Amino acid sequence: ERRVELEWDAQPHLRIGWHVPPITHADAPALAVLSAILTGGRTSRLHRRLVTEERNAVSVYSSMGPGTLYPRLFQLDVTPRSPTLPADLEAIVYAEIERLATDGPTALEVARVQTQIAGFSRISGSRSSSPSPRPCTATGGRPSPPPSG
């Protein structure tokens, strides 16, 4: 574990990062689902608990990056609502992750994520500027060469 605490005259913020496998790894889709369950919208676990119910944070989100050139991180960011401290939010985040690991996602969470994925697929498919999108490689998202022949 590497921990950094900065003293600054600004709004406190919590960022937790975990090393994750490359986007080509078989676990990459599961990490995307984890991200959606934890922070994918207002009904996600962490948003519902931290922002809506307990009202001790103003925002929570997660991301994976920085891309394919460097090792990837799964990052979770939480902005506390005063007077809540980042350490208090960190304890809740780890408790929710432990609960998810122990109990698994609920049927409602699975259905919500499936709906989000289906919606994203429809939206991204309708924004394609080419009549038939070219397949992309899993590394870097660079277009594959057109089929020869």
Side-chain angles (χ1 to χ4, degrees):
E1 174 179 316
R2 184 180 342 171
R3 187 174 288 265
V4 177
E5 291 187 29
L6 300 173
E7 295 285 331
W8 205 275
D9 188 20
Q11 170 76 29
H13 188 83
L14 171 66
R15 173 173 284 168
I16 304 170
W18 297 270
H19 290 279
V20 294
I23 197 166
T24 56
H25 194 276
D27 289 341
L31 290 167
V33 171
L34 172 67
S35 179
I37 289 171
L38 290 175
T39 66
R42 293 180 303 211
T43 58
S44 65
R45 272 189 192 215
L46 291 175
H47 189 280
R48 190 178 61 245
R49 181 167 176 190
L50 297 173
V51 177
T52 306
E53 294 172 1
E54 296 182 13
R55 300 188 47 84
N56 50 16
V58 294
S59 67
V60 58
Y61 62 93
S62 61
S63 63
M64 281 181 271
T68 58
L69 294 178
Y70 302 100
R72 288 179 6 125
L73 288 175
F74 178 83
Q75 298 178 111
L76 199 137
D77 291 83
V78 187
T79 303
R81 182 183 306 272
S82 183
T84 306
L85 300 173
D88 300 330
L89 297 175
E90 181 179 11
I92 294 170
V93 165
Y94 278 108
E96 283 298 322
I97 291 171
E98 179 62 30
R99 188 168 69 95
L100 182 59
T102 303
D103 301 340
T106 66
L108 189 61
E109 288 172 326
V110 171
R112 180 180 56 81
V113 171
Q114 288 173 331
T115 301
Q116 287 175 340
I117 291 170
F120 178 76
S121 296
R122 282 193 300 275
I123 290 170
S124 64
S126 67
R127 291 187 180 173
S128 174
S129 59
S130 63
S132 58
R134 291 180 26 200
C136 293
T137 61
T139 56
R142 296 181 195 95
S144 301
S148 58

